[in-house]
C-alpha cells in the first residue's frame, strides 16, 4: 500500500509542470479584449516561446479583423464603403505593427474594444 501511495504521489509530482503551464494559458476571447490587452500581446518579446505565441495571436487577430472588413465590404459594398485598403502581399506582422504604432500614440483610448482600435489603426495606416 505504501508503494502505491508513493507511486501516485510521484506521478502527481511529475505532472505539476504541465498543469502549471495549463493554468497560465488562459483562453483569450476577442470580444472581451481591450486594445490595451491586445497591445500587451503584440508588444511581447519574440525571444521567448510565450512571447512568440502572444505575437502570433496578435498577428492573427489583426489580420482576422482586416479580412473581415475586406470580405464584408466586398459582399455588401452599398452598406459599407471600403475604408481599409491593405496592399496585396502585406504580412500580418506588418498589420499588427501598424496597430502597435497607432495604439502607442497619445490620446488613443486603449480601454475600447481591441477590434475597434484595430479598425482605426488599419484605416489610418492603409487608407484607400
Amino acid at each position: 500500500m505504501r508503494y502505491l501511495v508513493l507511486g501516485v504521489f510521484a506521478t502527481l509530482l511529475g505532472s505539476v509542470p504541465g498543469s502549471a503551464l495549463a493554468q497560465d494559458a488562459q483562453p483569450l476571447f476577442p470580444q472581451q479584449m481591450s486594445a490595451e490587452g491586445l497591445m500587451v500581446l503584440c508588444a511581447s518579446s519574440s525571444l521567448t516561446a510565450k512571447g512568440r505565441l502572444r505575437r502570433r495571436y496578435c498577428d492573427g487577430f489583426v489580420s482576422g479583423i482586416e479580412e473581415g472588413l475586406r470580405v464584408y465590404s466586398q459582399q455588401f459594398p452599398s452598406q459599407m464603403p471600403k475604408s481599409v485598403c491593405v496592399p496585396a502581399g502585406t504580412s500580418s506582422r506588418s498589420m499588427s505593427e501598424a496597430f502597435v504604432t497607432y495604439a502607442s500614440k497619445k490620446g488613443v483610448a486603449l480601454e475600447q474594444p481591441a477590434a475597434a482600435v484595430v479598425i482605426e489603426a488599419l484605416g489610418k495606416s492603409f487608407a484607400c
Side-chain angles (χ1 to χ4, degrees), residues 14-100:
S15 66
V16 168
S19 65
L21 288 174
Q23 289 174 354
D24 186 46
Q26 297 175 1
L28 298 172
F29 300 105
Q31 70 273 21
Q32 299 172 357
M33 188 180 308
S34 68
E36 183 178 22
L38 183 61
M39 184 74 159
V40 168
L41 298 175
C42 293
S44 294
S45 171
S46 62
L47 298 177
T48 65
K50 187 175 184 177
R52 288 188 296 273
L53 182 65
R54 287 177 170 184
R55 289 180 74 160
R56 283 194 302 268
Y57 180 91
C58 169
D59 293 348
F61 185 96
V62 174
S63 64
I65 297 293
E66 184 276 330
E67 184 172 358
L69 287 171
R70 184 171 33 83
V71 168
Y72 193 83
S73 68
Q74 288 172 354
Q75 294 296 315
F76 306 101
S78 63
Q79 293 178 5
M80 184 177 164
K82 202 166 189 170
S83 61
V84 175
C85 295
V86 178
T90 302
S91 70
S92 57
R93 173 57 34 203
S94 295
M95 287 186 280
S96 61
E97 287 172 355
F99 164 75
V100 170

